Coordinates of all heavy atoms in Angstrom, one line a residue:
M260 N 0.9 -1.2 0.0 CA 0.0 0.1 0.1 C 0.9 1.3 0.0 O 1.7 1.5 0.9 CB -0.8 0.0 1.3 CG -1.7 1.2 1.4 SD -2.7 1.1 2.9 CE -4.2 1.5 2.5
P261 N 0.8 2.1 -1.1 CA 1.7 3.1 -1.1 C 1.3 4.2 0.0 O 0.1 4.5 0.2 CB 1.4 3.6 -2.6 CG 0.2 3.1 -2.9 CD -0.1 1.9 -2.2
R262 N 2.2 4.9 0.5 CA 2.0 5.8 1.5 C 1.6 7.1 0.7 O 2.4 7.5 -0.2 CB 3.3 6.0 2.4 CG 3.5 4.9 3.3 CD 4.8 5.0 4.0 NE 4.8 6.3 4.8 CZ 5.8 6.7 5.5 NH1 6.8 5.9 5.6 NH2 5.8 7.9 6.0
E263 N 0.6 7.7 1.2 CA 0.2 9.1 0.7 C 0.8 10.2 1.5 O 1.0 10.0 2.7 CB -1.2 9.2 0.7 CG -1.9 8.2 -0.3 CD -3.4 8.6 -0.4 OE1 -3.8 9.6 -0.3 OE2 -4.1 7.7 -0.8
P264 N 1.2 11.3 0.9 CA 1.8 12.3 1.7 C 0.7 12.9 2.5 O -0.4 13.0 2.1 CB 2.3 13.2 0.7 CG 1.7 12.9 -0.6 CD 1.3 11.5 -0.6
L265 N 1.1 13.4 3.7 CA 0.1 14.1 4.5 C -0.5 15.3 3.9 O -1.7 15.7 3.9 CB 0.8 14.5 5.9 CG 1.3 13.3 6.7 CD1 2.0 13.7 8.0 CD2 0.0 12.4 7.2
V266 N 0.4 16.1 3.3 CA 0.0 17.3 2.5 C 0.1 16.9 1.1 O 1.0 16.6 0.6 CB 0.8 18.5 3.0 CG1 0.3 19.8 2.2 CG2 0.8 18.7 4.3
P267 N -1.2 17.2 0.4 CA -1.0 16.9 -1.1 C 0.0 17.8 -1.8 O 0.1 19.0 -1.5 CB -2.4 17.2 -1.6 CG -3.1 17.9 -0.6 CD -2.4 17.6 0.7
A268 N 0.8 17.2 -2.6 CA 1.9 17.9 -3.3 C 1.2 19.0 -4.2 O 0.3 18.6 -5.0 CB 2.8 17.0 -4.2
R269 N 1.8 20.1 -4.2 CA 1.3 21.2 -5.2 C 2.5 21.8 -5.9 O 3.6 21.8 -5.3 CB 0.6 22.4 -4.3 CG -0.5 21.9 -3.6 CD -1.3 23.1 -3.1 NE -0.4 24.0 -2.3 CZ -1.0 25.0 -1.6 NH1 -2.3 25.2 -1.5 NH2 -0.3 25.9 -1.0
R270 N 2.2 22.1 -7.1 CA 3.4 22.6 -7.9 C 3.3 24.1 -7.8 O 2.8 24.8 -8.6 CB 3.2 22.2 -9.3 CG 3.5 20.6 -9.5 CD 4.0 20.5 -10.8 NE 4.4 19.0 -10.9 CZ 5.5 18.6 -11.0 NH1 6.5 19.4 -10.9 NH2 5.9 17.3 -11.0
I271 N 4.0 24.7 -6.7 CA 4.2 26.0 -6.6 C 5.7 26.4 -6.8 O 6.5 25.7 -6.2 CB 3.7 26.6 -5.2 CG1 2.3 26.4 -5.0 CG2 4.2 28.0 -5.0 CD1 1.9 26.7 -3.7
V272 N 5.9 27.1 -7.8 CA 7.4 27.2 -8.2 C 7.6 28.7 -7.9 O 7.1 29.7 -8.4 CB 7.6 27.0 -9.7 CG1 9.1 27.5 -10.0 CG2 7.2 25.6 -9.9
I273 N 8.6 28.9 -7.0 CA 9.1 30.3 -6.6 C 10.3 30.4 -7.2 O 11.3 29.5 -6.9 CB 9.1 30.5 -5.0 CG1 7.7 30.3 -4.4 CG2 9.7 31.7 -4.6 CD1 7.8 30.4 -2.9
R274 N 10.3 31.2 -8.2 CA 11.7 31.2 -9.1 C 12.8 31.6 -8.2 O 13.9 31.1 -8.3 CB 11.4 32.2 -10.1 CG 10.3 31.7 -11.1 CD 10.5 32.3 -12.5 NE 9.7 31.6 -13.4 CZ 8.5 32.0 -13.8 NH1 8.0 33.2 -13.2 NH2 7.6 31.4 -14.6
R275 N 12.6 32.6 -7.4 CA 13.8 33.0 -6.5 C 13.3 33.8 -5.3 O 12.2 34.6 -5.5 CB 14.9 33.8 -7.4 CG 14.4 34.9 -7.9 CD 15.4 35.6 -8.9 NE 14.9 36.8 -9.6 CZ 15.5 37.9 -9.7 NH1 16.8 37.9 -9.4 NH2 15.0 38.9 -10.3
V276 N 14.0 33.7 -4.3 CA 13.6 34.6 -3.2 C 14.6 35.7 -3.1 O 15.8 35.5 -2.9 CB 13.6 33.8 -1.8 CG1 13.5 34.7 -0.6 CG2 12.6 32.8 -1.9
V277 N 14.2 37.0 -3.5 CA 15.1 38.0 -3.6 C 15.3 38.6 -2.1 O 14.2 38.9 -1.6 CB 14.6 39.1 -4.5 CG1 15.6 40.2 -4.6 CG2 14.4 38.4 -5.9
P278 N 16.3 38.7 -1.6 CA 16.6 39.3 -0.3 C 16.2 40.8 -0.3 O 16.5 41.5 -1.4 CB 18.0 39.0 0.0 CG 18.7 38.8 -1.2 CD 17.6 38.2 -2.2
V279 N 15.3 41.1 0.6 CA 14.9 42.6 0.5 C 15.4 43.3 1.8 O 15.6 42.7 2.9 CB 13.4 42.7 0.5 CG1 12.9 42.2 -0.9 CG2 12.7 42.0 1.6
N280 N 15.7 44.6 1.7 CA 16.0 45.3 2.8 C 14.8 45.9 3.5 O 13.7 45.7 2.9 CB 17.0 46.5 2.5 CG 16.5 47.3 1.5 OD1 15.3 47.5 1.2 ND2 17.3 48.0 0.8
C281 N 14.9 46.6 4.6 CA 13.8 47.1 5.3 C 13.0 48.1 4.5 O 11.7 48.0 4.6 CB 14.2 47.8 6.6 SG 14.9 46.7 7.9
R282 N 13.6 48.9 3.7 CA 12.8 49.8 3.0 C 12.0 49.2 2.0 O 10.8 49.5 1.8 CB 13.9 50.8 2.2 CG 13.2 51.7 1.2 CD 14.1 52.6 0.4 NE 14.6 53.7 1.3 CZ 15.1 54.8 1.0 NH1 15.4 55.0 -0.4 NH2 15.4 55.6 1.8
H283 N 12.6 48.2 1.2 CA 11.8 47.4 0.3 C 10.7 46.6 0.9 O 9.5 46.5 0.5 CB 12.7 46.4 -0.5 CG 12.1 45.9 -1.7 ND1 12.7 44.8 -2.4 CD2 10.8 46.0 -2.2 CE1 11.9 44.4 -3.4 NE2 10.8 45.1 -3.3
A284 N 11.1 46.0 2.2 CA 10.0 45.2 2.9 C 8.8 46.0 3.2 O 7.6 45.6 3.2 CB 10.7 44.6 4.2
T285 N 9.0 47.3 3.8 CA 8.0 48.1 4.2 C 7.1 48.5 3.0 O 5.9 48.7 3.1 CB 8.4 49.4 5.1 OG1 9.5 49.9 4.3 CG2 8.9 48.9 6.4
R286 N 7.8 48.8 2.0 CA 7.0 49.1 0.7 C 6.1 48.1 0.3 O 4.9 48.1 -0.1 CB 7.9 49.5 -0.5 CG 7.2 50.3 -1.6 CD 8.1 50.6 -2.8 NE 8.1 49.4 -3.6 CZ 9.1 49.0 -4.3 NH1 10.2 49.7 -4.5 NH2 9.1 47.8 -4.8
L287 N 6.7 46.7 0.3 CA 5.8 45.6 0.1 C 4.6 45.5 1.0 O 3.6 45.2 0.7 CB 6.7 44.3 0.0 CG 7.6 44.2 -1.1 CD1 8.5 42.9 -1.0 CD2 6.9 44.0 -2.6
L288 N 5.0 45.6 2.2 CA 3.8 45.6 3.3 C 2.7 46.6 2.8 O 1.5 46.2 3.1 CB 4.4 45.9 4.7 CG 5.2 44.6 5.3 CD1 6.1 45.0 6.4 CD2 4.4 43.6 5.6
S289 N 3.2 47.8 2.5 CA 2.2 48.7 2.2 C 1.4 48.3 0.9 O 0.2 48.4 0.8 CB 2.7 50.1 1.9 OG 3.5 50.6 3.1
E290 N 2.1 47.9 -0.1 CA 1.5 47.5 -1.3 C 0.6 46.2 -1.2 O -0.5 46.2 -1.9 CB 2.6 47.1 -2.3 CG 3.3 48.5 -2.9 CD 4.2 48.2 -3.9 OE1 4.3 47.0 -4.4 OE2 5.1 49.0 -4.3
A291 N 0.9 45.4 -0.2 CA 0.1 44.2 0.2 C -1.4 44.6 0.6 O -2.4 43.9 0.4 CB 0.8 43.3 1.2
Q292 N -1.5 45.9 1.0 CA -2.8 46.4 1.5 C -3.6 46.7 0.2 O -5.0 46.8 0.4 CB -2.7 47.7 2.4 CG -1.8 47.5 3.5 CD -2.4 46.6 4.5 OE1 -3.6 46.6 4.9 NE2 -1.5 45.6 5.1
E293 N -2.9 47.0 -1.0 CA -3.6 47.5 -2.2 C -3.8 46.3 -3.2 O -4.7 46.4 -4.0 CB -2.9 48.7 -2.7 CG -2.6 49.7 -1.7 CD -3.8 50.4 -1.1 OE1 -4.8 50.5 -1.9 OE2 -3.8 50.7 0.1
R294 N -2.8 45.5 -3.2 CA -2.8 44.5 -4.4 C -2.3 43.2 -3.9 O -1.8 43.2 -2.7 CB -1.9 45.0 -5.5 CG -0.5 45.0 -5.1 CD 0.4 45.3 -6.3 NE 1.8 45.6 -6.0 CZ 2.7 44.7 -6.0 NH1 2.3 43.4 -6.4 NH2 4.0 44.7 -5.7
E295 N -2.5 42.2 -4.7 CA -2.0 40.8 -4.1 C -0.6 40.7 -4.6 O -0.3 41.0 -5.9 CB -3.0 39.8 -4.9 CG -2.6 38.4 -4.3 CD -3.7 37.4 -4.8 OE1 -4.9 37.7 -5.2 OE2 -3.4 36.2 -4.8
L296 N 0.3 40.3 -3.6 CA 1.7 40.2 -4.0 C 1.9 39.0 -4.8 O 1.2 37.9 -4.6 CB 2.6 40.2 -2.8 CG 2.5 41.4 -1.8 CD1 3.4 41.3 -0.8 CD2 2.8 42.7 -2.6
S297 N 3.0 39.1 -5.5 CA 3.3 37.8 -6.3 C 4.0 36.9 -5.3 O 4.3 37.2 -4.2 CB 4.3 38.0 -7.4 OG 5.7 38.4 -6.8
L298 N 4.1 35.6 -5.7 CA 4.7 34.6 -4.8 C 6.0 34.8 -4.4 O 6.4 34.7 -3.4 CB 4.5 33.1 -5.5 CG 3.2 32.4 -5.3 CD1 3.3 31.1 -6.0 CD2 3.0 32.2 -3.7
S299 N 6.8 35.4 -5.4 CA 8.1 35.6 -5.0 C 8.3 36.8 -4.1 O 9.2 36.9 -3.2 CB 9.2 35.8 -6.3 OG 8.9 37.0 -6.9
E300 N 7.5 37.8 -4.4 CA 7.4 39.0 -3.5 C 7.1 38.4 -2.0 O 7.6 38.9 -1.1 CB 6.4 40.1 -3.9 CG 7.0 40.9 -5.1 CD 5.8 41.7 -5.6 OE1 4.6 41.3 -5.6 OE2 6.1 42.8 -6.2
L301 N 6.1 37.7 -2.0 CA 5.5 37.1 -0.7 C 6.7 36.4 0.0 O 6.8 36.5 1.2 CB 4.3 36.4 -1.0 CG 3.4 36.1 0.1 CD1 2.7 37.6 0.6 CD2 2.1 35.4 -0.2
A302 N 7.3 35.4 -0.8 CA 8.4 34.7 -0.2 C 9.5 35.7 0.4 O 10.0 35.4 1.5 CB 9.0 33.7 -1.2
S303 N 9.9 36.6 -0.4 CA 11.0 37.5 0.0 C 10.4 38.3 1.2 O 11.3 38.6 2.2 CB 11.2 38.6 -1.0 OG 11.7 37.9 -2.3
L304 N 9.3 38.7 1.3 CA 8.7 39.4 2.5 C 8.7 38.5 3.6 O 9.1 38.9 4.8 CB 7.4 39.9 2.1 CG 6.7 40.9 3.2 CD1 7.6 42.2 3.4 CD2 5.3 41.3 2.6
K305 N 8.2 37.3 3.5 CA 8.2 36.3 4.7 C 9.5 36.1 5.2 O 9.8 36.1 6.4 CB 7.5 35.0 4.2 CG 5.9 35.2 4.0 CD 5.2 35.3 5.3 CE 3.8 35.5 4.8 NZ 2.9 35.8 6.0
F306 N 10.4 35.9 4.3 CA 11.8 35.7 4.6 C 12.4 36.8 5.5 O 13.1 36.6 6.5 CB 12.6 35.4 3.5 CG 14.0 35.0 3.7 CD1 14.3 33.8 4.2 CD2 15.1 35.9 3.4 CE1 15.6 33.3 4.5 CE2 16.4 35.5 3.8 CZ 16.7 34.2 4.2
H307 N 12.1 38.0 5.0 CA 12.5 39.2 5.7 C 12.0 39.4 7.1 O 12.7 39.5 8.1 CB 12.4 40.5 4.8 CG 12.9 41.7 5.5 ND1 14.3 42.2 5.4 CD2 12.3 42.6 6.4 CE1 14.4 43.3 6.2 NE2 13.4 43.5 6.8
T308 N 10.7 39.3 7.2 CA 9.9 39.6 8.4 C 10.1 38.5 9.4 O 10.0 38.7 10.7 CB 8.5 39.7 8.2 OG1 7.9 38.6 7.5 CG2 8.2 41.0 7.4
A309 N 10.6 37.3 9.0 CA 11.0 36.3 9.9 C 12.2 36.6 10.8 O 12.3 36.2 11.9 CB 11.3 35.0 9.2
M310 N 13.0 37.5 10.2 CA 14.1 37.9 10.9 C 14.2 39.3 11.4 O 14.9 39.6 12.3 CB 15.4 37.8 9.9 CG 15.7 36.5 9.3 SD 17.0 36.5 8.1 CE 16.5 37.6 7.0
C311 N 13.2 40.2 10.9 CA 13.4 41.5 11.3 C 12.1 42.0 12.1 O 10.9 42.1 11.5 CB 13.3 42.4 10.0 SG 13.4 44.1 10.3
V312 N 12.3 42.2 13.4 CA 11.2 42.5 14.2 C 10.6 43.8 13.9 O 9.4 44.2 14.1 CB 11.6 42.4 15.6 CG1 12.5 43.5 16.1 CG2 10.4 42.4 16.6
G313 N 11.4 44.8 13.4 CA 10.9 46.1 13.1 C 9.9 46.0 12.0 O 8.9 46.6 12.0
C314 N 10.2 45.4 10.9 CA 9.3 45.2 9.8 C 8.1 44.3 10.2 O 6.9 44.7 9.7 CB 10.0 44.7 8.6 SG 11.1 45.7 7.9
R315 N 8.2 43.4 11.1 CA 7.0 42.7 11.6 C 6.1 43.5 12.3 O 4.9 43.5 12.0 CB 7.4 41.5 12.5 CG 7.5 40.2 11.9 CD 7.5 39.0 13.0 NE 8.4 39.2 14.2 CZ 9.6 38.8 14.3 NH1 10.2 38.4 13.3 NH2 10.2 39.0 15.3
N316 N 6.7 44.4 13.1 CA 5.7 45.3 13.8 C 5.1 46.2 13.0 O 3.9 46.6 13.1 CB 6.6 46.1 14.8 CG 7.0 45.3 16.1 OD1 6.3 44.3 16.4 ND2 8.0 45.6 16.8
F317 N 5.9 46.8 11.9 CA 5.2 47.7 10.9 C 4.1 47.0 10.2 O 3.1 47.6 10.0 CB 6.3 48.1 9.9 CG 5.8 49.0 8.7 CD1 5.5 50.4 9.0 CD2 5.4 48.4 7.5 CE1 5.1 51.2 8.0 CE2 4.9 49.3 6.6 CZ 4.7 50.6 6.9
G318 N 4.3 45.8 9.9 CA 3.2 45.0 9.2 C 1.9 44.9 10.1 O 0.8 45.1 9.5
R319 N 2.1 44.7 11.4 CA 1.0 44.6 12.3 C 0.3 46.0 12.4 O -0.8 46.1 12.4 CB 1.5 44.2 13.5 CG 1.8 42.8 13.7 CD 1.9 42.2 15.2 NE 2.7 41.1 15.2 CZ 3.8 40.9 15.9 NH1 4.3 42.0 16.5 NH2 4.5 39.9 15.9
Q320 N 1.1 47.0 12.6 CA 0.6 48.4 12.7 C -0.2 48.8 11.5 O -1.2 49.4 11.5 CB 1.9 49.4 13.0 CG 2.3 49.2 14.4 CD 3.6 49.9 14.5 OE1 4.2 50.5 13.6 NE2 4.1 49.8 15.8
I321 N 0.3 48.5 10.3 CA -0.3 48.9 9.2 C -1.7 48.3 8.9 O -2.7 48.9 8.5 CB 0.5 48.8 7.8 CG1 0.1 49.7 6.8 CG2 0.6 47.3 7.3 CD1 1.1 49.8 5.7
Q322 N -1.8 47.0 9.4 CA -3.1 46.3 9.3 C -4.0 46.9 10.4 O -5.2 47.0 10.0 CB -2.8 44.8 9.6 CG -2.2 44.0 8.5 CD -2.0 42.6 8.8 OE1 -2.1 42.2 10.0 NE2 -1.7 41.8 7.8
T323 N -3.5 47.2 11.4 CA -4.4 47.8 12.5 C -4.9 49.2 12.0 O -6.0 49.5 12.1 CB -3.6 47.9 13.9 OG1 -3.1 46.8 14.3 CG2 -4.5 48.6 15.0
L324 N -4.0 50.0 11.4 CA -4.4 51.3 10.9 C -5.6 51.1 9.9 O -6.5 51.8 9.7 CB -3.3 52.0 10.3 CG -2.4 52.7 11.3 CD1 -1.1 53.2 10.7 CD2 -3.1 53.7 12.0
R325 N -5.3 50.0 9.0 CA -6.2 49.8 7.9 C -7.7 49.5 8.4 O -8.7 49.9 8.1 CB -5.8 48.7 7.1 CG -6.7 48.4 5.9 CD -6.1 47.2 5.0 NE -7.0 46.9 4.0 CZ -7.1 47.3 2.8 NH1 -6.2 48.3 2.4 NH2 -7.9 47.0 1.9
K326 N -7.6 48.6 9.6 CA -8.9 48.3 10.2 C -9.7 49.5 10.8 O -10.8 49.6 10.6 CB -8.6 47.2 11.3 CG -8.3 45.8 10.6 CD -8.2 44.9 12.0 CE -7.6 43.5 11.4 NZ -7.1 42.7 12.5
I327 N -8.8 50.3 11.4 CA -9.4 51.4 12.2 C -10.0 52.4 11.1 O -11.0 52.9 11.3 CB -8.3 52.1 13.0 CG1 -7.9 51.3 14.2 CG2 -8.7 53.5 13.4 CD1 -6.7 51.8 14.9
S328 N -9.2 52.6 10.0 CA -9.7 53.7 9.1 C -10.9 53.1 8.4 O -11.9 53.7 8.0 CB -8.7 53.9 8.1 OG -8.2 52.8 7.4
R329 N -11.0 51.8 8.1 CA -12.2 51.2 7.5 C -13.4 51.3 8.4 O -14.4 51.5 8.0 CB -11.9 49.7 7.2 CG -12.9 49.0 6.5 CD -12.7 47.6 6.0 NE -11.8 47.7 4.7 CZ -11.3 46.8 4.1 NH1 -11.5 45.5 4.4 NH2 -10.7 47.0 3.0
A330 N -13.1 50.9 9.6 CA -14.2 51.0 10.6 C -14.7 52.5 10.7 O -16.0 52.7 10.8 CB -13.7 50.6 12.0
Y331 N -13.7 53.4 10.7 CA -14.3 54.8 10.7 C -15.1 55.2 9.4 O -16.1 55.9 9.6 CB -13.0 55.8 10.7 CG -13.3 57.2 10.9 CD1 -13.7 57.7 12.0 CD2 -13.2 58.0 9.7 CE1 -14.1 59.1 12.1 CE2 -13.4 59.3 9.9 CZ -13.9 59.9 11.0 OH -14.2 61.2 11.1
T332 N -14.6 54.8 8.4 CA -15.5 55.2 7.1 C -16.7 54.4 7.1 O -17.7 55.1 6.5 CB -14.5 54.9 5.9 OG1 -14.2 53.5 5.8 CG2 -13.4 55.7 5.7
L333 N -16.8 53.2 7.6 CA -18.1 52.6 7.7 C -18.9 53.0 8.8 O -20.1 52.7 8.9 CB -17.9 51.0 7.8 CG -17.3 50.4 6.5 CD1 -17.0 48.9 7.0 CD2 -18.0 50.5 5.4
G334 N -18.3 53.8 9.8 CA -19.0 54.3 10.9 C -19.3 53.1 12.0 O -20.2 53.4 12.9
A335 N -18.6 52.1 11.8 CA -18.9 51.0 12.8 C -17.9 51.0 13.9 O -16.8 51.3 13.7 CB -18.7 49.7 12.0
G336 N -18.5 50.7 15.1 CA -17.6 50.6 16.2 C -17.0 51.9 16.7 O -16.1 51.8 17.4
M337 N -17.7 52.9 16.2 CA -17.1 54.1 16.6 C -18.2 55.0 17.5 O -18.3 56.2 17.4 CB -16.9 55.1 15.4 CG -15.8 54.5 14.5 SD -14.2 54.2 15.3 CE -13.5 55.9 15.2
E338 N -18.9 54.3 18.2 CA -19.9 54.8 19.1 C -19.3 55.6 20.3 O -18.1 55.3 20.6 CB -20.8 53.8 19.7 CG -21.6 53.1 18.6 CD -22.1 51.7 19.1 OE1 -21.9 51.4 20.2 OE2 -22.7 51.0 18.2
E339 N -20.0 56.5 20.8 CA -19.4 57.3 21.8 C -19.2 56.3 23.1 O -20.0 55.5 23.3 CB -20.2 58.4 22.4 CG -20.2 59.5 21.4 CD -21.1 60.8 21.9 OE1 -21.2 60.8 23.1 OE2 -21.6 61.5 21.1
P340 N -18.2 56.5 23.8 CA -17.8 55.7 25.0 C -19.1 55.9 26.0 O -19.7 57.0 26.1 CB -16.6 56.2 25.5 CG -16.4 57.4 25.0 CD -17.2 57.6 23.7
E341 N -19.4 54.8 26.7 CA -20.5 54.8 27.7 C -20.2 55.8 28.8 O -19.1 55.9 29.3 CB -20.6 53.4 28.2 CG -22.0 52.8 27.9 CD -22.2 51.4 28.6 OE1 -22.2 51.3 29.9 OE2 -22.2 50.5 27.7
K342 N -21.2 56.6 29.1 CA -21.1 57.6 30.1 C -21.1 56.9 31.5 O -22.1 56.2 31.6 CB -22.0 58.7 30.0 CG -21.7 59.6 28.9 CD -22.8 60.8 28.8 CE -22.4 61.8 27.7 NZ -23.4 62.7 27.5
T343 N -20.3 57.1 32.3 CA -20.3 56.4 33.6 C -21.2 57.3 34.5 O -21.2 58.6 34.5 CB -19.0 56.3 34.3 OG1 -18.3 57.5 34.2 CG2 -18.2 55.3 33.5
E344 N -22.0 56.8 35.2 CA -23.0 57.4 36.0 C -22.1 58.0 37.1 O -21.2 57.4 37.6 CB -24.1 56.5 36.6 CG -24.9 56.0 35.5 CD -25.8 57.0 34.9 OE1 -26.2 57.9 35.7 OE2 -26.2 57.0 33.7
G345 N -22.5 59.1 37.6 CA -21.9 59.8 38.8 C -22.0 58.9 40.1 O -23.0 58.3 40.2
R346 N -21.0 59.0 40.8 CA -21.1 58.0 42.0 C -21.8 58.9 43.2 O -21.8 58.4 44.3 CB -19.7 57.7 42.5 CG -19.2 56.6 41.4 CD -18.2 55.7 41.9 NE -17.9 54.7 40.8 CZ -17.7 53.4 41.2 NH1 -17.9 53.1 42.3 NH2 -17.4 52.7 40.2
S347 N -22.1 60.0 43.0 CA -22.9 60.8 44.1 C -24.3 60.4 44.2 O -25.1 61.2 44.0 CB -22.7 62.4 43.7 OG -23.5 62.5 42.5
G348 N -24.4 59.1 44.3 CA -25.8 58.5 44.3 C -26.5 58.7 45.6 O -26.3 59.6 46.4
D349 N -27.4 57.8 45.9 CA -28.2 57.8 47.0 C -27.8 56.9 48.1 O -28.5 56.1 48.6 CB -29.8 57.4 46.6 CG -29.7 56.2 45.8 OD1 -28.6 55.6 45.5 OD2 -30.9 55.9 45.4
G350 N -26.5 57.2 48.5 CA -26.0 56.4 49.6 C -26.7 56.7 50.9 O -26.9 58.0 51.3
D351 N -27.2 55.9 51.6 CA -28.0 56.0 52.8 C -27.1 55.9 54.1 O -27.6 55.7 55.2 CB -29.2 55.2 52.9 CG -30.2 55.5 51.9 OD1 -29.9 56.4 51.0 OD2 -31.3 55.1 52.0
S352 N -25.9 55.9 53.9 CA -25.0 55.6 55.0 C -24.8 56.7 56.0 O -25.1 57.8 55.8 CB -23.6 55.1 54.5 OG -23.1 56.0 53.8
Ligands
ZN464 ZN1 13.2 45.0 8.1

């Protein structure tokens, strides 16, 4: 009985992983918000962000900013904070 691979083999060919510097990586992170990156761009970016905490943080921040700005434009989740009732209540002590 032939053993089947746990993960089906896929033919994804990444021609080359071009090393990117921080400037290029942050540009790719920005562009990823607007368009789908190619596989080689994605591989280069993953390779860089695996090693660079600065660019990883930038990637997280840009995603958060995108979510916030999207929520703002949709008007979702931007309700006024709940007003806390004054504590000068009817204490009978
Ligand atoms: Zn970097």
